[in-house]
Each structure stands twice: as structure tokens, then as C-alpha cells.
Amino acid sequence: MNLRTRFTLLCTALALAACATRAPAPTAPARPPVSSKPTPLPSASRPAGPVVKAPIPASDADAKYIPVTWAALPGWREANLAEGFSGLLESCKALGKRAGWRPSCEAAAQIDPNHSEAVRAFYETRFTPYRLSDGDKMLGLVTGYYEPLLRGDTQRSERGRYPVYAPPPDLLTIDMASMYPELKNLRLRGRVQGNKVVPYWTRTDIESGRGVERAEVLAWVEDPIELFFLQVQGSGRIELPSGELLRVGYADQNGYPYKSIGKWLIDKGELTAGQATMQGIQAWAQANPARLTELLNSNPSYVFFRRLNNNQGGPLGALGVPLTDGYSIAVDARYTPLGAPVWLSTSFPLGNQPLQRLMHAQDTGGAIRGAVRADFFWGFGREAGEVAGRMKQAGEMWILLPKGMSPSQALAGGKTSG
């Protein structure tokens, strides 16, 4: 069967799934919140402002972009904007190739990155802030993620018994944008069975060896729950017996939407909503090893990995640049343009102190859905994981766009005259 025939069969068999399954972009991790029952957030009155309709709405509301003054950004005047300015310079490695962003990126390269007031003047001179709302909701959910450290080996051993797979050779992935540009966020997965195209194997199937007989094993790790959270985070490092670190990142996914194992535990009465943090789930798994397979298989989604360069920076996000610890966020790219600076007003998960910071939209995630929605990248290692695993805060967002660029233009790629 030739490639064209496979393509036709796959599109025919899976086209009906287009409205139900939204897969992340190739470099984007599939990171859902641990619990799918966030605390209800208060609503504000419906704001005025331009309405931008996404081709595939993330909710029943439309995103609104309300131009505001800099004084409307809580904490803007007090913030040290030099901290995290390197995140914009990283974004400009991608944005600088776009006409509408090029002048601002060229100007950014001339700014003293250690001088907070110079950085503030740069933004206030060249950008317009827009408050983001999801219909009448100005408050949304902010979760956290990080780059975990696992222990394992490149060979199966007593220490490493759980495989980290590269994408199997029979996994077919179709980018629907090649036929329907309005479906640019949609990818379909499947496999050929005889002369039919069928959905790919579920997590339960893959864990029993189906579909991965010929898949490359990048490493063998020692803890299955840590491997599961590696799939949730989308990237991580594996410490080998020699002390060398093997870095891996998201490569592909089996096509099934993520189902929260935190919600599964809540529905079973095993944990309360407040206990269903990453740490709470890990503690439950340690106390209930006989039920671990049942827990993990409640989520049919399965993530495959690729090797990454073991540099000293953060993992690559969906924008294609390294993430900056504490200054990068994952967003829903249908509403927040990838690469745009974002003023975020939320709170720390421990102590609930205000967290108001200029972030950079450099990543996406399978569960990051909606206009006012962000996933905060805390960095690498256990300490970052302690904070990220507990983060489930209310938050507000303002996107910063170059003057003269409308939100619609930014979402279309920022191809203005500059």
C-alpha cells in the first residue's frame, strides 16, 4: 500500500474524529492539569473590545482583547523587568523572522538587559497591552509544569525496567493543515490494519507490548509513576549509572485525549480534590502498588519521545526556542500568539503570595485550553516539581503586541508591514 493510499484511508477513517480529538503540536508536551476539577473562578462583567473567533473554539465563549494603559497592569511599575528579559530575546530567534515583530526584536537587541527601567521604557514605547478575556471571564486557571529528573539506564536492568519509547514505525500522523488550514491545530493518528485505517493502540495496549515491538527504546527507567509524569510534563532528563544525563522531549502521541488520573482517583473516592496534586498521586501510588496499572491505564493517552541535545538551557517549547525557568508559559495558541510577551497576575501555590511577572508564551500543551489559561514553567528538578505539582491558581493575562499589530494579525502570524 503506497503512502498516498494510506493518507486517503487515514483521512477517511478519522475525519469524524476531527471535532473531538485535538492533539498538541509536534514539539508541544501533552500536559494536563493533575485534577480536572479546578476551584470555580469568579466572573467579571462582559468587557468591550475586539472579538477574535478561533476556527475551533476552546469553549463556548469568544476571546476578547481589550486595549488598556500600562497603569492597568497590576504590579507593572514595581516589577524588575530585567529579570526574564532573556526570554524575549529567545522568542525573537523565532519572532525576528516575521515582518511585524522584526523592528521590536531588533530594538530589543540594543537594550541593556540588566537595566530594568530601560527594559520598561522599551516595552512602553513599542508595545500595546491587551487584557485577555474568555467571553465574560477575565479570571482563568494557571497550573505549573517542570522538567523532571528520572533515574535509569540505556539497557534493561534491575534498576531500569520501564521503557521510554521513540515513536513506533507504524504510527501514522496526519497534519490536517495541509488540506484544511483552519484545522492547523489538529493532527490525527492511526495505523493500517489490512486495508483499513484504525485508531492507534491505547495505553493499555502499548503497556502490554502492542505496537511497540519495533519501536526504539531510548532508555529504561526505574519508576513507572515517574515515567507517567514524564509523559505529562513532555520533557525531562534521565540520570544514567555513569552520571551522564540523557535528555528527552516530546516526539508524538497515540492520538487519544488525556484523561486525568487525579479525577479518576477523586471519582473512586481515593483522594479529595485538594489531595489530587502530583505529590498526592505519587503518595497514593506508593501506598497502592497493586492498583498502579489500573490507575495509569485509566488514561488512554501515551506519549513517545526523542533525544534532545543535553545543553544547559531549558527544554525546547512549541515556539522552537529553549524555555526560561520561571519566565515561560504554555498557552492556547489559538488565543495567545506564540512568542508574545504576557503579563501574568496570579499567586504562588505555597503561601498564596502575589505572583505578577512578565512571561513569554513559548509553549503549548494538550490540556491548555481557553483564552485565559496558562501553564507556568518552573524549571528543572525536584524543587521545581514541588512547586509545579501544587500550582492550581486563579490568574489574569494581558498580551503585549507591537504597536500597529492587531490581535488578529498576531494570531495569523504577525505578518504586518512592521
Side-chain angles (χ1 to χ4, degrees):
M1 183 181 298
N2 61 38
L3 183 60
R4 181 180 295 276
T5 302
R6 289 189 177 199
F7 179 89
T8 302
L9 286 170
L10 183 59
C11 290
T12 301
L14 300 182
L16 293 178
C19 295
T21 303
R22 308 293 166 202
T27 57
R31 280 186 320 281
V34 172
S35 171
S36 65
K37 292 186 176 179
T39 302
L41 303 173
S43 298
S45 59
R46 181 176 292 275
V51 179
V52 177
K53 290 181 178 292
I56 307 170
S59 68
D60 58 1
D62 295 314
K64 290 182 181 291
Y65 303 82
I66 305 97
V68 299
T69 65
W70 294 102
L73 276 58
W76 173 260
R77 288 304 311 171
E78 295 75 28
N80 182 357
L81 297 180
E83 296 178 352
F85 187 64
S86 60
L88 177 67
L89 301 180
E90 288 291 349
S91 289
C92 279
K93 293 177 182 178
L95 295 179
K97 301 173 185 177
R98 305 175 189 173
W101 289 92
R102 189 177 300 124
S104 296
C105 285
E106 290 174 350
Q110 306 304 314
I111 300 297
D112 180 355
N114 300 310
H115 195 293
S116 181
E117 289 308 309
V119 174
R120 194 185 324 277
F122 160 76
Y123 281 114
E124 293 181 353
T125 300
R126 291 190 164 271
F127 287 79
T128 299
Y130 291 83
R131 181 159 191 172
L132 196 54
S133 73
D134 199 350
D136 63 348
K137 295 187 298 183
M138 291 187 176
L139 280 173
L141 177 65
V142 183
T143 49
Y145 70 113
Y146 74 112
E147 188 181 17
L149 174 65
L150 292 80
R151 289 178 173 78
D153 204 339
T154 54
Q155 303 294 325
R156 185 168 185 170
S157 64
E158 283 300 315
R159 183 188 189 201
R161 297 183 291 126
Y162 301 96
V164 179
Y165 288 115
D170 66 338
L171 174 63
L172 300 181
T173 304
I174 300 300
D175 185 348
M176 295 299 290
S178 61
M179 294 187 298
Y180 304 104
E182 66 272 19
L183 299 180
K184 64 181 180 179
N185 294 309
L186 176 64
R187 283 177 169 78
L188 302 178
R189 276 83 169 179
R191 61 187 175 89
V192 174
Q193 180 176 291
N195 61 351
K196 297 181 180 180
V197 174
V198 297
Y200 204 71
W201 302 108
T202 66
R203 171 178 292 275
T204 300
D205 297 324
I206 292 169
E207 292 288 10
S208 67
R210 290 179 174 172
V212 290
E213 301 92 338
R214 294 185 292 121
E216 180 186 6
V217 178
L218 304 180
W220 300 84
V221 297
E222 63 181 26
D223 188 331
I225 192 70
E226 292 285 352
L227 175 57
F228 181 89
F229 280 114
L230 173 66
Q231 295 188 6
V232 172
Q233 302 302 319
S235 64
R237 307 181 204 186
I238 302 168
E239 184 180 1
L240 305 178
S242 65
E244 178 187 358
L245 294 179
L246 171 65
R247 200 169 201 172
V248 296
Y250 177 96
D252 214 328
Q253 187 254 3
N254 65 340
Y256 291 85
Y258 178 91
K259 291 188 177 180
S260 169
I261 61 173
K263 182 179 184 300
W264 186 89
L265 288 167
I266 294 170
D267 291 345
K268 295 288 185 181
E270 298 291 332
L271 295 178
T272 66
Q275 294 170 330
T277 63
M278 184 177 68
Q279 291 82 0
I281 293 172
Q282 288 172 325
W284 184 93
Q286 292 172 358
N288 298 272
R291 299 185 64 191
L292 181 58
T293 298
E294 179 188 7
L295 170 68
L296 300 185
N297 287 346
S298 68
N299 167 40
S301 175
Y302 197 95
V303 172
F304 303 103
F305 292 90
R306 60 192 174 98
R307 294 182 183 87
L308 298 178
N309 292 331
N310 196 16
N311 53 41
Q312 297 302 309
L316 291 180
L319 185 63
V321 302
L323 304 183
T324 302
D325 298 4
Y327 291 92
S328 295
I329 53 174
V331 297
D332 189 334
R334 295 170 297 173
Y335 299 96
T336 299
L338 273 179
V342 176
W343 184 255
L344 179 67
S345 180
T346 183
S347 58
F348 286 93
L350 305 176
N352 215 36
Q353 296 299 309
L355 174 55
Q356 297 167 334
R357 189 174 293 183
L358 186 59
M359 309 295 292
H360 304 280
Q362 296 172 331
D363 208 357
T364 60
I368 312 306
R369 317 295 290 175
V372 190
R373 178 73 174 92
D375 209 14
F376 191 108
F377 179 68
W378 284 99
F380 167 69
R382 186 170 299 277
E383 185 174 335
E386 285 293 318
V387 184
R390 291 182 168 86
M391 190 166 193
K392 193 161 51 178
Q393 317 298 108
E396 301 170 276
M397 295 168 61
W398 292 257
I399 61 171
L400 278 52
L401 298 179
K403 287 186 175 180
M405 178 185 291
S406 70
S408 295
Q409 289 170 324
L411 290 168
K415 296 178 181 178
T416 70
S417 61

